[in-house]
Amino acid sequence: MRPMPFSRSLGSTDTVAVTEPRMQPEILRVPRLELCVEREGGKPTRRAMVLDSDFVRVGAHPSNDLVLSDRLVSRFHCILERSAQGFRVTDVGSLNGIWIGGARVRDADIRPECVIELGESTIRVRDASAVSETELPATLSFGSLWGASLAMRRMFHVLQRVGQSSSDVLIEGENGTGKELIATELVQRSNRAQKPLVIVDCGAISPTLIESELFGHVRGSFTGASRDRAGAFEEADGGTVFLDEIGELPLDMQPKLLRALASREVRRVGESRARKVDIRVIAATNRRLEREVNSGRFREDLYYRLSVVTVRVPPLRERKEDLPLLLQHFLSDLGAPEQISLFPPDVMDKMMRYDWPGNVRELRNQVERTVVLGGDALLAGAEASPTSPEGHPGDARAAEALGADIERPFKEAKEAMVDRFEREYLVALLAWASGNVSRAARKAGLDRMYLHRLLQRHGLRRGAALD
């Protein structure tokens, strides 16, 4: 872990400013829904709210957007959010669930006049009498993030405003959606852009060492503490701490992090003196933290402290109209824009029907694999699309050609394949760069710190310093 002055490096002295396509903003007319509470806690009632935002939390806790006084409704019961198909309701680990038409659902697309039952409460969804107007940037990118879909442009609009603030930020999204890219782009646009950025992966550090990683330690405070050491918060003083996979933080560590965030001061392990720090915190998670709070795995007060501003990243399956743009972008990054011929219309059709469980990361890996290996590797994974009603013998042969082991559970087989590809790619990349991490990062289009973490994960240049 090292602090990292934030500019996009091109060499020993050169830096490049962030530039993005500039077009005229677009005025978007957004349909609205009205949520009518017809029964609350078993008693008839009549109150309503209009769903103006893209995301509404429903539950018993006063912090929710729609609060229900019902003993059978969980603190965070469900969320309603705008999706590509309209609006969706999702259970976030409630005790008594969501019921629609007599059936319990985990998530469902909803339409006007749909009746949702939560505990002893009933909510009717109606069309609102008007639509709202939102001005969205017409740009196709936000730094390293690309997308022409409505979902991405809405997110870009939010990120533009968040980047100029100093508030703490929580980024929620599935694995592979680009949460770390969002964090680095936010840092670049903040008034802390030239200050240190320190990345801490909460899921990759031993629970016994996480406190030392965050807050530091003094010599002799535990076995192996041979010298005083500053933690991430001190190293980032004046800058930003990025807490990746915050949902993996051990429960007994959470109150200590909460105190540090509230007071902006830390105590090294084995030391009684508090040290003031001036930091901005950006956290990311692939979990629904509302669900973790309901289950007791994440502290409610820490969740509120982190989620001053929440950015939710849409999965690739919900913005497949972005596939052609992302494909062109990745090919350009690889220095092979002419290889677009490897993706004819029939292949694009398969890509559109595939669900991309690994999201943008999986797409980039597939594009790179196709460029390196040619047509033999062409979208073998997408042949057996999860959205297809049935498989074909050719699908299994294509999966085997990629080394997919269908005798293993899907998640385990996918992780093994991605792990194998990452290691082979990194070995070839380091050989090309003669071991120079900075040069390798520029070639791969990766942040140096992220590349360093990948190398450590695969046991390559273990513990090497960034050059």
Side-chain angles (χ1 to χ4, degrees):
M1 177 195 69
R2 281 183 53 195
M4 176 179 162
F6 212 87
S7 59
R8 192 171 296 170
S9 176
L10 292 179
S12 57
T13 58
D14 297 320
T15 59
V16 63
V18 178
T19 59
E20 293 156 4
R22 297 292 182 185
M23 295 181 284
Q24 291 298 315
E26 175 184 350
I27 302 299
L28 180 71
R29 294 175 60 82
V30 181
R32 301 190 298 177
L33 290 183
E34 184 179 33
L35 306 178
C36 303
V37 182
E38 298 181 343
R39 190 164 56 98
E40 185 171 5
K43 300 177 182 178
T45 186
R46 188 75 179 178
R47 62 188 180 97
M49 72 169 291
V50 174
L51 183 59
D52 272 321
S53 67
D54 290 343
F55 187 90
V56 170
R57 291 183 306 187
V58 181
H61 195 276
S63 67
N64 286 285
D65 303 293
L66 177 58
V67 181
L68 297 175
S69 298
D70 186 332
R71 62 188 179 85
L72 298 181
V73 169
S74 299
R75 286 178 294 179
F76 301 105
H77 201 102
C78 67
I79 57 175
L80 292 110
E81 57 190 327
R82 204 180 302 273
S83 68
Q85 291 75 35
F87 293 88
R88 176 180 298 152
V89 60
T90 303
D91 189 341
V92 288
S94 67
L95 183 62
N96 294 306
I98 305 170
W99 296 79
I100 299 178
R104 183 168 181 168
V105 298
R106 287 189 298 177
D107 65 85
D109 293 327
I110 55 176
R111 298 288 183 268
E113 297 306 319
C114 172
V115 176
I116 305 171
E117 297 181 50
L118 316 173
E120 296 181 320
S121 300
T122 301
I123 302 171
R124 182 178 296 275
V125 179
R126 297 184 182 276
D127 260 327
S129 57
V131 297
S132 61
E133 291 189 347
T134 302
E135 182 178 298
L136 292 180
T139 180
L140 300 179
S141 72
F142 185 81
S144 301
L145 303 163
W146 289 79
S149 62
L150 184 59
M152 290 299 286
R153 287 162 52 215
R154 278 185 179 144
M155 190 180 76
F156 294 164
H157 180 61
V158 171
L159 293 177
Q160 284 180 349
R161 301 176 65 181
V162 173
Q164 299 166 5
S165 76
S166 57
S167 299
D168 293 342
V169 182
L170 176 64
I171 305 170
E172 293 185 345
E174 296 177 8
N175 287 331
T177 51
K179 298 186 292 296
E180 186 168 340
L181 278 179
I182 291 174
T184 55
E185 294 297 341
L186 289 178
V187 172
Q188 277 191 304
R189 287 159 176 78
S190 73
N191 57 8
R192 299 173 186 262
Q194 302 305 316
K195 301 295 184 179
L197 166 66
V198 178
I199 300 173
V200 179
D201 188 341
C202 299
I205 303 172
S206 166
T208 60
L209 296 177
I210 186 69
E211 184 175 1
S212 171
E213 287 289 328
L214 291 175
F215 306 140
H217 62 256
V218 297
R219 180 181 178 182
S221 55
F222 55 85
T223 303
S226 58
R227 59 181 178 86
D228 290 359
R229 179 180 180 276
F233 278 47
E234 282 187 73
E235 295 278 8
D237 192 24
T240 307
V241 174
F242 176 49
L243 300 177
D244 199 8
E245 299 304 342
I246 188 66
E248 305 289 339
L249 191 70
L251 191 59
D252 60 356
M253 185 62 209
Q254 293 178 22
K256 298 175 184 178
L257 176 59
L258 176 63
R259 284 195 296 270
L261 294 176
S263 64
R264 284 315 199 252
E265 60 182 31
V266 298
R267 288 182 174 84
R268 293 182 179 182
V269 177
E271 186 178 60
S272 59
R273 179 169 69 94
R275 301 167 185 260
K276 281 287 185 182
V277 290
D278 172 22
I279 57 168
R280 182 190 194 185
V281 174
I282 301 178
T285 180
N286 61 5
R287 302 186 181 190
R288 288 279 192 188
L289 288 189
E290 298 95 342
R291 192 188 308 274
E292 300 301 298
V293 170
N294 281 341
S295 66
R297 292 189 295 266
F298 202 85
R299 286 180 63 104
E300 180 180 318
D301 44 7
L302 178 58
Y303 170 63
Y304 291 129
R305 175 64 64 175
L306 289 169
S307 60
V308 175
V309 177
T310 301
V311 176
R312 292 177 173 84
V313 193
L316 185 55
R317 64 180 174 275
E318 292 184 2
R319 57 182 189 101
K320 290 183 182 177
E321 61 267 43
D322 288 336
L323 282 170
L325 178 64
L326 291 169
L327 177 60
Q328 292 173 359
H329 171 61
F330 292 150
L331 288 172
S332 295
D333 267 3
L334 294 167
E338 71 284 354
Q339 297 297 322
I340 190 68
S341 59
L342 289 172
F343 301 88
D346 62 322
V347 171
M348 288 300 299
D349 180 61
K350 292 173 184 175
M351 292 172 72
M352 287 294 187
R353 288 187 286 112
Y354 184 56
D355 264 357
W356 300 104
N359 291 294
V360 179
R361 182 187 299 147
E362 181 184 2
L363 174 62
R364 182 186 175 92
N365 288 347
Q366 181 62 66
V367 171
E368 188 158 0
R369 185 183 299 114
T370 303
V371 169
V372 172
L373 301 179
D376 290 341
L378 194 54
L379 284 162
E383 294 281 351
S385 169
T387 58
S388 300
E390 59 185 26
H392 301 280
D395 300 340
R397 288 194 298 270
E400 288 173 4
L402 270 182
D405 182 1
I406 62 173
E407 299 302 321
R408 303 168 72 178
F410 169 78
K411 183 178 179 181
E412 182 181 327
K414 180 171 78 73
E415 288 176 351
M417 184 181 294
V418 171
D419 185 76
R420 186 164 57 252
F421 167 77
E422 284 184 354
R423 183 175 179 82
E424 292 174 358
Y425 180 86
L426 293 173
V427 168
L429 183 66
L430 277 183
W432 175 87
S434 300
N436 186 304
V437 178
S438 295
R439 188 175 178 223
R442 290 194 295 272
K443 172 70 173 176
L446 296 172
D447 176 78
R448 282 193 310 162
M449 182 64 75
Y450 179 64
L451 177 57
H452 181 61
R453 287 168 53 198
L454 283 176
L455 294 173
Q456 286 186 319
R457 183 189 307 165
H458 292 281
L460 305 171
R461 291 173 57 91
R462 184 175 297 278
L466 292 175
D467 45 31

